[in-house]
Amino acid sequence: MAAHLSYGRVNLNVLREAVRRELREFLDKCAGSKAIVWDEYLTGPFGLIAQYSLLKEHEVEKMFTLKGSRLPAADVKNIIFFVRPRLELMDIIAENVLSEDRRGPARDFHILFVPRRSLLCEQRLKDLGVLGSFIHREEYSLDLIPFDGDLLSMESEGAFKECYLESDQTSLYHAAKGLMTLQALYGTIPQIFGKGECARQVANMMIRMKREFTGSQNSIFPVFDNLLLLDRNVDLLTPLATQLTYEGLIDEIYGIQNSFVKLPPEKFASKKQGDSGKDLPTEAKKLQLNSAEELYAEIRDKNFNAVGSVLSKKAKVISAAFEERHNAKTVGEIKQFVSQLPHMQAARGSLANHTSIAELIKDVTTSEDFFDKLTVEQEFMSGIDTDKVNSYIEDCIAQKHPLIKVLRLVCLQSVCNSGLKQKVLDYYKREILQTYGFEHILTLHNLEKAGLLKPQTGGRNNYPTIRKTLRLWMDDVNEQNPTDISYVYSGYAPLSVRLAQLLSRPGWRSIEEVLRILPGPHFEERQPLPTGLQKKRQPGENRITLIFFLGGVTFAEIAALRFLSQLEDGGTEYVVATTKLMNGASWIESLMEKPF
Amino acid sequence: MDCYTANWNPLGDSAFYRKYELYSMDWDLKEDLRDCLVAAAPYGGPIALLRNPWRKEKAASVRPVLEIYSASGMPLATLMWKSGPVVSLGWSAEEELLCVQEDGVVLVYGLHGDFRRHFSMGNEVLQNRVLDARIFHTEFGSGVAILTGAHRFTLSANVSDLKLRRMPEVPGLQGAPSCWTTLCRDRVAHILLAVGPDLYLLDHAACSPVTLPGLAAGVSSFLQMAVSFTSRHLAVFTDTGYIWMGTASFKEKLCEFNCNIRAPPKQMVWCSRPRSKERAVVVAWERRLMVVGDAPESIQFVLDEDSYLVPELDGVRIFSRTTHEFLHEVPVASEEIFKIASMAPGALLLEAQKEYEKESQKADEYLREIQELGQLPQAVQQCIEAAGHEHWPDMQKSLLRAASFGKCFLDRFPPDSFVRMCQDLRILNAIRDYHIGIPLTYSQYKQLTIQVLLDRLVLRRLYPLAIQICEYLRLPEVQGVSRILAHWACYKLLEYEPRSGEQVPLLLKMKRSKLALSKAIESGDTDLVFTVLLHLKNELNRGDFFMTLRNQPMALSLYRQFCKHQELETLKDLYNQDDNHQELGSFHIRASYTTEEHVEGRVAALQKAAEAFNKAKNDFAAKATEDQMRLLRLQRCLEDELGGRFLDLSVHDTVTTLILGGQNKRAEQVARDFRIPDKRLWWLKLTALADLEDWEELEKFSKSKKSPIGYLPFVEICMKQHNKYEAKKYASRVGPEQKVKALLLVGDVAQAADVAIEHRNEAEMSLVLSHCTGATDGVTADKIQRARAQAQKK
């Protein structure tokens, strides 16, 4: 089921197995038939860990969504609440429990906090008079969830907002805990690098946590060579730009949730059924996207412009393979052909799906508006006319294009200009409030607090220095056969990934000046290893760096890192971890505030 | 030896009082004691001083400082007083410092200045303020009595089990009583107060007048009153300079004295010894100290400095800036031995031993004398006992040597009293050392018990000494060493326990909440921080709680988050405290959408927001908020006037709605009032008119002046509404740069081709080519191909 997790340099299936084991152990503690009441947010991430079959094996007979008043009737011995430690959820649980007591046979209640048990929540349950009703109150440390062979995410929606707007480090604490779990399974990571305030804090927490467990010496041979902790606010630019990889575009246009995407069904109407016009499916087509699918693994990280040719080549190969059956003469040959059939059929299905998806995306990318938007983005990123009111943005506002799109562009301009001139900024803000409504002043304040939108102070624009030193803009980009990470944005090389690239070679010392311009401290910590565990690298063997994006990462950045991993002479392979997989739209949306 | 009794002062015929120095004070006081609030705990306990207590005339910038010292003046803690004005300080029986604030809040601190908890003396006290307060001790614990500004008393007999009792009113009481005290009778705390020539006793039910038997006539008011350490006796000082001493039951007068000083004394305390028949009080004025008892003469001392009296079980401690003395009645055994020309057996034995040391035969004579009277056991006992009452080790030694010498001549003298005294003195000398600074007398020590003494050493974190004492006394492990080790371990654990999840709840249990907070913050575990915060919130008064938060930014922001969801009003207070006007502004904006329903309420909320933004120097937000106020009012008028829904539309949508409703003039007006930029207004009108499909009006509009957005948008929007006919009208007006695009939009491929060719624009030509479909466009396509070929030739 999760074989793709073990394809990478680091077998992330080990982590998945560990968390599955923990889940089974908990379920077995509550003997007898069970019903699980879900905090709805958790179902997605849990789906990546355990399917219903696992739950069923452990006598889970019913599943409900957590909501107020009574629980639905269920003839089970145990009711287990799977929840995040949030006070508002505790109130709902209490309501459930209190209304339950009045009827029917008594049932055992349990509560599983994900990822952490909370004294605060237990206190609330106590205040509400239900704490005693729970037999087991435990925590399930599901911090980092394996998404793919080289990708882990905490799927913590509000992490960026909490860290940068509200100075709430809860998600950083979970990140540190998650890293400790990872180190328990994959050995102590000997070197920690970091850039940014949050990175510093996570490193501090890790060091502190290590001290707390000094008793238990980790004797696992270290798999990772380095850990690089990166604050999202070190690179506010990248997520604002439109991702141009295949996977990035799917996410930009349709949104990928917990590795699933929902697509408009029309293009997927089964063609074999003859005149499909009558029964067009109305339900969205749901597809899982990960490297378990061979074709997807091949094209996900390519620039979208390079996807078409791969798909048509694949189509030829597959139809050629199907043609083989005409050449199969002997019984042996036919037998062999038939044995390959399931695989070929799967490949054909996969190809059909992705051809449809590519068509859907092409409809968008060839639209005039998409082209205009991209042009403006690219102008900003290459430093053209970033200091005056942009007429495309103006027109977008006047035509009431989606607010998120407008905000994304204005923020991009601000970031690419190290802040906007007060007059320009006030103009945009006024236009937005007048057009979309005054209530968005709260959103604007949030964006300003996060540094995404700001007046230029000191009159100095640092972005050109950063752009030139880090070579963020490449004019000669090859989308088909890329030689540089800038292909993922057709010209712009993501700052975050460039930092990782430069850290691995030649080291950050070469860019001290730029590091000082970027916010937050940069640092290096060593975690000493006992001599027996020190790694002797074979010649030509790549280092493995775990790169942790605090505050979110985009698919395009992941694609760029995978590109670096695959370089012949790269020297470093990356495993990516993050608080949340995101894109510019979901990011801006998380910072929006709607008072009504 | 002659000089030994030099500091003995006779009071009447039967008693001597002596005063000796315990310590020369180590503290380095910058101010006079009279400028401080002072509280000293009994049993040689610590001294608390509050420097610069709140005074109206002083600049507010001078913060009071709370200092805690050992009895020898060694500093134990110093902290800036950041809470409200303090009226009174006092120590509880557990050596916790109680600070009574003017608002009736009592803050409790540990010996080391660590904040423990706080409690309030109730609403009545809060409203009427605290005029005066006393901390008193009963057999159940320590209590607080408050006299409020309304001249009513409230008390709690036990602060660890807070039950507030409001005492009944005193009939006809107009002003504050001239003096008052707490008085424990029948296990109940009472208040005795003096109003003019009358005394009243308050219990929880009634106020009863009191008459003192044998009180001299002519008293018009009482200036001081004192209850003895054991609550059995009462002394009052009147305005005639007369002192009455009697039982606290008011049944019996013991004695009286006329000191002829009419000035009110600063302090008056009892000075008596358990099991002694002598009764005396010590009265202190500015520069004079007087011991008064059942004798025609008093003993008088001159005070060189501001001094403070601390009543003890068996005497009075007197400390000043430089010294700390003890004044007490000379114990019987000492008196017997040292009284000049005493022939008591103990005195003779002491002499005998001294002569023995001088190798004089007189030793034998003295010894024989005692033995002949058969008083040697008494002599030994007397010497042992007297040794216990001596402060100076040399004298203790010489008395013990005498006892030991005497013992040699006795066959069956049980050794334990001697051994025990040696042990006790060793302990007493150790704790009296100025490093430790607990000047217990033998009687106090016995009363206190070794267990309590060990607890107090632990409280002072003197673990090694406590352990040595346990080992020395061979106390059972459970009571002694292991208990102390447990305390020590606990203390150390708190310092060194690395796992914050374990450490923090422990700290909370030990009432070290502030330390708990900083440890929780250090750990990064926000849940832990929250837990401590909610604990602190219950423990501290609001002001202190906010102050604590202010020093811990991380905790503050977490608490803000909590408030955002749970306590909105508190959130506002927090922003106010921090002068965070920007956030206050946002707060009021939120309120204008969520908590206020009516337009006027919403506008009022926005008004507050605008003011806050002005204070935050956020001109843009202030202006935008004012615009929004204007808009809301306008929208209400529109709703009243035109019907329909306008509230909460944006300016843009308000104008659009007006146009859609045919209110073009109103629309123009609003657009002008809110200064909508021309370009956007054109887009707006264009969109609205096309939505209405009011093509006539649209055309009129397009001709009203030159379009600031060009005419391509007109073409586009008409095509969007599938009106090619109208679209074509505008296509001709589109400027050359977008002409090709416009022509293609209206489907005029041929003309588009002509324009592109005319422009000799390669991009335009290929755009047109891509639109050439089917046979009809074949001619056009050929035309372009030819043009291209020609262009390439050149």
Side-chain angles (χ1 to χ4, degrees):
Chain A
M1 189 55 239
H4 62 290
L5 295 180
S6 47
Y7 293 164
R9 269 291 295 278
V10 179
N11 184 355
L12 293 183
N13 223 358
V14 174
L15 174 64
R16 186 169 183 269
E17 280 310 319
V19 289
R20 279 164 70 92
R21 191 166 53 243
E22 205 186 319
L23 181 62
R24 281 195 216 106
E25 279 165 11
F26 173 76
L27 289 173
D28 289 343
K29 262 187 206 165
C30 317
S33 57
K34 316 169 180 52
I36 295 179
V37 183
W38 289 96
D39 169 354
E40 209 168 7
Y41 186 82
L42 291 176
T43 50
F46 257 78
L48 296 166
I49 295 303
Q51 275 73 33
Y52 185 49
S53 56
L54 179 142
L55 301 176
K56 216 167 173 181
E57 279 165 30
H58 294 268
E59 293 177 89
V60 175
E61 294 175 359
K62 289 265 164 58
M63 311 237 265
F64 306 119
T65 304
L66 182 64
K67 48 178 178 259
S69 76
R70 279 184 178 184
L71 289 169
D75 184 20
V76 289
K77 188 166 171 297
N78 300 283
I79 304 272
I80 313 176
F81 294 92
F82 277 34
V83 287
R84 289 167 296 161
R86 296 195 167 204
L87 288 180
E88 59 273 19
L89 298 181
M90 298 306 116
D91 296 348
I92 301 178
I93 291 178
E95 210 179 317
N96 281 179
V97 171
L98 289 173
S99 56
E100 170 79 8
D101 276 348
R102 294 184 208 114
R103 59 190 170 129
R107 300 191 281 191
D108 291 348
F109 289 104
H110 315 278
I111 192 162
L112 188 65
F113 287 109
V114 186
R116 210 123 283 124
R117 216 172 137 168
S118 147
L119 295 167
L120 192 67
C121 285
E122 293 189 356
Q123 182 61 43
R124 171 60 67 95
L125 290 174
K126 198 172 169 188
D127 294 343
L128 293 168
V130 295
L131 187 69
S133 313
F134 297 98
I135 296 177
H136 291 294
R137 294 193 308 269
E138 309 223 342
E139 67 182 23
Y140 183 48
S141 334
L142 187 65
D143 291 305
L144 286 166
I145 303 159
F147 270 66
D148 220 317
D150 56 356
L151 180 59
L152 301 157
S153 172
M154 290 164 56
E155 283 310 283
S156 159
E157 217 171 9
F160 182 86
K161 186 178 181 188
E162 285 162 25
C163 289
Y164 298 99
L165 245 53
E166 297 165 348
S167 313
D168 174 353
Q169 311 173 349
T170 309
S171 52
L172 299 183
Y173 182 71
H174 294 331
K177 281 273 183 185
L179 283 164
M180 295 314 283
T181 309
L182 223 52
Q183 289 188 98
L185 293 170
Y186 299 98
T188 304
I189 307 176
Q191 261 186 314
I192 305 175
F193 298 92
K195 170 72 187 167
E197 214 52 72
C198 294
R200 183 66 264 185
Q201 282 177 30
V202 170
N204 287 350
M205 287 182 211
M206 285 174 70
I207 292 163
R208 198 193 145 78
M209 287 173 189
K210 195 176 175 223
R211 211 167 57 221
E212 291 191 4
F213 297 109
T214 38
S216 51
Q217 185 59 252
N218 189 341
S219 58
I220 296 172
F221 200 81
V223 174
F224 296 104
D225 297 277
N226 302 314
L227 167 65
L228 169 58
L229 295 161
L230 267 187
D231 272 36
R232 186 72 267 177
N233 84 335
V234 170
D235 172 16
L236 293 172
L237 197 165
T238 304
L240 292 170
T242 305
Q243 309 171 65
L244 296 177
T245 58
Y246 181 54
E247 188 168 42
L249 275 168
I250 296 177
D251 187 41
E252 293 276 348
I253 298 167
Y254 298 106
I256 302 176
Q257 297 287 344
N258 298 303
S259 84
F260 283 93
V261 67
K262 282 182 184 164
L263 298 160
E266 299 80 19
K267 292 254 183 191
F268 297 90
S270 158
K271 280 164 192 152
K272 276 186 184 165
Q273 239 59 22
D275 48 310
S276 52
K278 280 177 192 164
D279 45 25
L280 264 180
T282 47
E283 215 172 284
K285 171 93 175 170
K286 197 172 170 188
L287 282 176
Q288 187 167 25
L289 300 174
N290 61 34
S291 59
E293 189 184 350
E294 208 178 302
L295 175 62
Y296 187 63
E298 192 181 337
I299 58 176
R300 69 197 298 186
D301 300 319
K302 289 199 182 303
N303 186 296
F304 182 65
N305 287 335
V307 169
S309 58
V310 177
L311 289 178
S312 61
K313 248 183 252 161
K314 268 275 142 48
K316 276 178 204 142
V317 170
I318 289 174
S319 55
F322 274 97
E323 286 308 312
E324 282 291 308
R325 77 189 134 147
H326 302 302
N327 303 336
K329 295 279 170 355
T330 67
V331 175
E333 281 167 352
I334 292 173
K335 220 174 166 182
Q336 203 200 340
F337 176 81
V338 169
S339 75
Q340 284 172 350
L341 210 53
H343 177 76
M344 283 161 58
Q345 270 163 346
R348 190 163 65 179
S350 165
L351 178 69
N353 281 341
H354 288 290
T355 310
S356 301
I357 297 173
E359 279 168 17
L360 282 169
I361 291 175
K362 201 166 176 223
D363 289 346
V364 177
T365 55
T366 52
S367 74
E368 199 174 332
D369 188 60
F370 186 89
F371 178 80
D372 290 346
K373 182 181 75 169
L374 207 60
T375 311
V376 171
E377 281 183 13
Q378 300 218 332
E379 278 174 9
F380 288 159
M381 291 189 290
S382 53
I384 299 167
D385 285 345
T386 52
D387 60 347
K388 47 184 176 235
V389 174
N390 180 285
S391 61
Y392 174 74
I393 298 181
E394 243 183 328
D395 288 350
C396 285
I397 296 173
Q399 295 172 68
K400 275 194 94 172
H401 282 204
L403 178 59
I404 290 184
K405 173 183 172 187
V406 169
L407 291 174
R408 206 169 153 177
L409 284 168
V410 175
C411 290
L412 182 68
Q413 185 179 354
S414 171
V415 172
C416 290
N417 198 52
S418 303
L420 296 168
K421 281 185 193 152
Q422 191 70 53
K423 228 178 117 185
V424 175
L425 179 62
D426 285 357
Y427 178 80
Y428 279 137
K429 277 164 48 178
R430 188 164 175 275
E431 282 296 278
I432 288 167
L433 296 187
Q434 276 207 355
T435 308
Y436 298 91
F438 174 71
E439 66 271 21
H440 298 291
I441 194 168
L442 298 171
T443 298
L444 292 176
H445 285 165
N446 286 348
L447 294 174
E448 287 181 72
K449 239 163 121 183
L452 279 162
L453 203 56
K454 59 177 185 185
Q456 204 177 63
T457 45
R460 195 177 145 68
N461 180 0
N462 286 321
Y463 178 67
T465 318
I466 300 170
R467 187 185 72 231
K468 281 173 206 148
T469 317
L470 299 182
R471 292 181 301 120
L472 298 186
W473 187 258
M474 306 294 275
D475 282 318
D476 49 346
V477 61
N478 186 337
E479 291 169 348
Q480 305 293 330
N481 296 299
T483 51
D484 181 74
I485 57 171
S486 56
Y487 85 92
V488 298
Y489 288 97
S490 295
Y492 165 73
L495 194 160
S496 55
V497 182
R498 199 61 111 200
L499 285 180
Q501 189 184 11
L502 287 164
L503 174 68
S504 123
R505 197 176 290 169
W508 275 356
R509 202 160 292 172
S510 60
I511 50 163
E512 283 280 345
E513 195 193 335
V514 166
L515 285 175
R516 267 198 300 276
I517 298 173
L518 296 171
H522 56 282
F523 59 89
E524 180 183 346
E525 297 280 353
R526 275 168 201 280
Q527 303 201 89
L529 292 173
T531 36
L533 295 180
Q534 276 164 20
K535 209 171 183 178
K536 290 166 205 79
R537 204 176 304 114
Q538 306 296 321
E541 189 189 338
N542 286 339
R543 275 176 305 201
I544 303 181
T545 294
L546 175 64
I547 174 167
F548 203 131
F549 289 85
L550 300 164
V553 70
T554 64
F555 287 107
E557 284 168 302
I558 298 168
L561 286 164
R562 289 192 181 129
F563 170 80
L564 291 179
S565 296
Q566 282 158 13
L567 280 185
E568 286 280 332
D569 54 350
T572 303
E573 285 178 52
Y574 295 92
V575 172
V576 184
T578 184
T579 52
K580 178 85 179 87
L581 291 167
M582 55 115 153
N583 59 45
S586 64
W587 189 34
I588 296 284
E589 195 172 8
S590 77
L591 295 171
M592 286 177 74
E593 187 174 339
K594 296 166 194 109
F596 58 89
Chain B
M1 196 74 319
D2 313 59
C3 59
Y4 181 75
T5 53
N7 63 349
W8 289 26
N9 300 278
L11 187 70
D13 303 327
S14 49
F16 292 92
Y17 286 81
R18 69 174 169 189
K19 185 163 73 98
Y20 58 85
E21 192 183 67
L22 297 169
Y23 304 109
S24 65
M25 290 304 269
D26 233 16
W27 56 20
D28 184 22
L29 286 193
K30 302 219 168 37
E31 322 220 348
D32 279 328
L33 281 180
R34 76 170 79 94
D35 293 328
C36 304
L37 275 180
V38 183
Y43 291 101
I47 303 169
L49 301 179
L50 186 67
R51 290 203 276 120
N52 318 315
W54 235 273
R55 290 216 192 126
K56 302 254 149 59
E57 69 265 26
K58 277 207 175 167
S61 61
V62 186
R63 281 209 183 267
V65 180
L66 179 66
E67 295 173 321
I68 301 175
Y69 295 94
S70 74
S72 58
M74 300 279 276
L76 296 174
T78 304
L79 54 133
M80 287 295 246
W81 188 260
K82 289 177 182 166
S83 302
V86 176
V87 176
S88 180
L89 297 178
W91 292 92
S92 75
E94 293 83 28
E95 295 199 328
E96 285 183 324
L97 181 62
L98 309 176
C99 308
V100 185
Q101 288 190 161
E102 203 184 26
D103 58 1
V105 171
V106 182
L107 289 89
V108 185
Y109 287 87
L111 201 59
H112 297 277
D114 44 318
F115 179 83
R116 296 277 168 85
R117 66 203 143 91
H118 79 281
F119 56 87
S120 164
M121 291 300 286
N123 264 336
E124 201 262 335
V125 178
L126 172 67
Q127 272 159 24
N128 295 314
R129 318 307 281 176
V130 178
L131 205 62
D132 196 4
R134 303 281 155 81
I135 282 87
F136 60 95
H137 305 279
T138 69
E139 52 204 293
F140 310 112
S142 308
V144 179
I146 304 262
L147 170 63
T148 71
H151 312 303
R152 292 286 297 266
F153 289 91
T154 295
L155 64 77
S156 163
N158 185 355
V159 293
S160 26
D161 177 22
L162 199 66
K163 285 197 190 86
L164 295 179
R165 279 202 349 239
R166 194 171 173 213
M167 305 304 256
E169 212 169 332
V170 180
L173 181 60
Q174 294 297 322
S178 58
C179 58
W180 63 279
T181 183
T182 54
L183 184 58
C184 267
R185 300 174 77 189
D186 312 324
R187 305 171 149 239
V188 178
H190 293 62
I191 300 238
L192 179 66
L193 69 153
V195 184
D198 303 317
L199 292 171
Y200 296 97
L201 186 70
L202 292 177
D203 63 17
H204 55 279
C207 167
S208 26
V210 170
T211 28
L212 300 176
L215 183 76
V219 173
S220 57
S221 87
F222 297 88
L223 302 182
Q224 272 283 1
M225 47 179 74
V227 177
S228 66
F229 203 81
T230 50
S231 282
R232 279 206 210 108
H233 301 114
L234 172 73
V236 294
F237 187 100
T238 72
D239 59 340
T240 48
Y242 164 86
I243 301 166
W244 179 94
M245 288 176 257
T247 58
S249 59
F250 316 126
K251 287 197 177 122
E252 198 186 327
K253 178 169 86 173
L254 296 169
C255 56
E256 59 185 7
F257 184 82
N258 212 320
C259 71
N260 292 321
I261 300 173
R262 281 159 185 258
K266 269 174 63 193
Q267 266 183 297
M268 177 168 77
V269 299
W270 280 87
C271 177
S272 52
R273 199 159 49 73
R275 288 181 298 279
S276 163
K277 287 203 190 77
E278 298 300 324
R279 306 285 169 234
V281 291
V282 179
V283 192
W285 286 268
E286 210 54 50
R287 287 284 174 260
R288 190 204 300 260
L289 193 73
M290 199 182 266
V291 185
V292 177
D294 189 9
E297 296 292 319
S298 63
I299 305 164
Q300 302 221 11
F301 298 98
V302 173
L303 294 174
D304 298 329
E305 290 178 301
D306 241 9
S307 298
Y308 190 85
L309 309 186
V310 190
E312 289 279 9
L313 176 72
D314 54 350
V316 177
R317 282 191 288 136
I318 305 160
F319 64 84
S320 68
R321 261 168 68 148
T322 51
T323 63
H324 196 158
E325 297 175 305
F326 188 61
L327 169 63
H328 71 148
E329 185 202 340
V330 175
V332 184
S334 313
E335 192 186 321
E336 298 260 283
I337 292 173
F338 294 111
K339 201 163 72 179
I340 294 164
S342 169
M343 293 297 282
L348 293 175
L349 180 58
L350 186 63
E351 278 308 305
Q353 196 270 340
K354 278 181 183 156
E355 294 302 326
Y356 170 74
E357 267 182 22
K358 284 190 242 166
E359 298 180 9
S360 153
Q361 58 173 4
K362 277 190 186 166
D364 186 44
E365 282 173 30
Y366 285 127
L367 203 58
R368 214 179 283 273
E369 209 178 319
I370 310 169
Q371 271 178 321
E372 275 167 11
L373 290 167
Q375 286 179 327
L376 193 52
Q378 287 99 306
V380 173
Q381 202 55 54
Q382 254 176 5
C383 285
I384 293 172
E385 218 175 292
H389 294 298
E390 285 308 313
H391 187 71
W392 304 109
D394 284 346
M395 191 49 75
Q396 295 164 1
K397 277 185 206 157
S398 97
L399 284 163
L400 286 173
R401 268 200 299 271
S404 158
F405 177 68
K407 252 165 29 109
C408 301
F409 302 95
L410 284 169
D411 284 340
R412 282 186 301 275
F413 188 85
D416 35 322
S417 65
F418 180 81
V419 172
R420 212 175 306 127
M421 183 56 79
C422 289
Q423 288 178 337
D424 288 342
L425 282 176
R426 235 187 123 177
I427 290 164
L428 283 173
N429 290 337
I431 60 167
R432 283 170 186 166
D433 183 287
Y434 78 97
H435 288 109
I436 310 295
I438 306 179
L440 283 183
T441 64
Y442 181 75
S443 317
Q444 291 166 16
Y445 166 63
K446 284 293 160 187
Q447 179 73 26
L448 195 64
T449 73
I450 182 70
Q451 298 306 345
V452 177
L453 175 63
L454 287 172
D455 283 347
R456 296 201 164 179
L457 292 176
V458 165
L459 212 59
R460 284 163 172 75
R461 298 180 196 149
L462 298 165
Y463 305 105
L465 177 63
I467 288 178
Q468 274 170 11
I469 290 175
C470 292
E471 284 171 351
Y472 178 63
L473 292 180
R474 302 210 178 88
L475 287 181
E477 289 263 311
V478 211
Q479 296 173 29
V481 177
S482 48
R483 204 167 58 100
I484 291 158
L485 280 176
H487 275 286
W488 171 82
C490 229
Y491 174 66
K492 286 294 157 195
L493 189 72
L494 293 176
E495 290 289 294
Y496 297 111
E497 163 63 55
R499 278 167 306 161
S500 27
E502 309 290 324
Q503 187 188 35
V504 170
L506 208 62
L507 280 166
L508 285 181
K509 232 179 244 171
M510 294 182 70
K511 308 213 163 113
R512 310 280 303 277
S513 354
K514 286 196 182 163
L515 186 61
L517 182 61
S518 46
K519 293 284 174 192
I521 289 171
E522 230 172 80
S523 76
D525 184 347
T526 45
D527 181 56
L528 217 48
V529 179
F530 267 129
T531 308
V532 182
L533 278 180
L534 294 194
H535 194 95
L536 276 175
K537 192 180 151 208
N538 292 330
E539 199 177 64
L540 299 179
N541 65 39
R542 206 171 158 89
D544 278 1
F545 179 57
F546 278 16
M547 199 58 79
T548 310
L549 286 179
R550 206 173 182 170
N551 300 327
Q552 298 282 10
M554 184 240 190
L556 178 60
S557 31
L558 280 181
Y559 188 63
R560 269 198 215 113
Q561 283 318 107
F562 177 80
C563 290
K564 218 175 235 177
H565 298 117
Q566 311 279 335
E567 289 176 24
L568 270 181
E569 277 307 300
T570 313
L571 182 67
K572 193 169 77 185
D573 295 346
L574 283 170
Y575 289 143
N576 262 320
Q577 174 187 280
D578 297 346
D579 290 332
N580 193 339
H581 300 298
Q582 173 69 28
E583 290 296 344
L584 264 179
S586 298
F587 178 89
H588 290 303
I589 286 179
R590 263 175 228 121
S592 85
Y593 285 103
T594 51
T595 48
E596 297 293 342
E597 282 177 30
H598 302 290
V599 169
E600 280 319 307
R602 296 183 59 180
V603 170
L606 289 172
Q607 178 64 46
K608 284 188 207 157
E611 283 160 19
F613 287 134
N614 271 322
K615 279 190 199 155
K617 300 211 159 47
N618 187 340
D619 299 337
F620 175 84
K623 179 76 181 37
T625 309
E626 279 159 19
D627 283 350
Q628 175 65 7
M629 290 159 62
R630 207 148 53 90
L631 181 66
L632 275 182
R633 289 204 187 101
L634 171 77
Q635 285 172 333
R636 205 190 42 184
C637 289
L638 289 175
E639 282 188 4
D640 290 349
E641 219 175 292
L642 307 173
R645 184 107 186 101
F646 281 94
L647 275 177
D648 282 324
L649 294 183
S650 66
V651 174
H652 191 96
D653 292 349
T654 304
V655 177
T656 304
T657 311
L658 284 170
I659 295 175
L660 291 178
Q663 301 285 335
N664 286 330
K665 278 215 170 119
R666 293 299 289 266
E668 285 291 344
Q669 185 61 41
V670 176
R672 255 198 312 279
D673 285 353
F674 286 89
R675 299 192 357 258
I676 295 184
D678 218 20
K679 272 167 83 177
R680 180 153 57 83
L681 189 58
W682 273 71
W683 274 111
L684 187 161
K685 281 188 182 171
L686 168 67
T687 317
L689 292 173
D691 277 353
L692 278 178
E693 303 196 29
D694 190 346
W695 306 116
E696 203 177 316
E697 192 62 35
L698 183 65
E699 191 168 355
K700 250 201 304 199
F701 167 58
S702 77
K703 287 175 178 163
S704 61
K705 66 175 200 179
K706 187 171 178 289
S707 163
I709 55 175
Y711 294 91
L712 185 63
F714 284 78
V715 178
E716 282 169 337
I717 207 139
C718 291
M719 287 308 294
K720 221 171 168 185
Q721 301 281 2
H722 309 292
N723 193 335
K724 202 185 234 181
Y725 173 76
E726 288 295 327
K728 279 189 170 163
K729 285 185 187 168
Y730 301 106
S732 58
R733 293 164 71 182
V734 173
E737 279 176 29
Q738 292 173 319
K739 195 93 175 192
V740 172
K741 227 188 225 174
L743 289 168
L744 286 174
L745 265 176
V746 297
D748 197 341
V749 183
Q751 211 188 328
D754 290 345
V755 176
I757 292 165
E758 192 186 319
H759 286 173
R760 293 183 190 159
N761 184 320
E762 173 59 33
E764 281 180 3
M765 283 191 266
S766 39
L767 185 66
V768 178
L769 256 185
S770 71
H771 277 76
C772 291
T773 47
T776 43
D777 296 331
V779 188
T780 316
D782 291 344
K783 204 167 159 187
I784 294 174
Q785 298 292 17
R786 277 201 303 280
R788 268 185 159 176
Q790 230 168 20
Q792 265 160 12
K793 264 184 214 161
K794 285 175 186 169

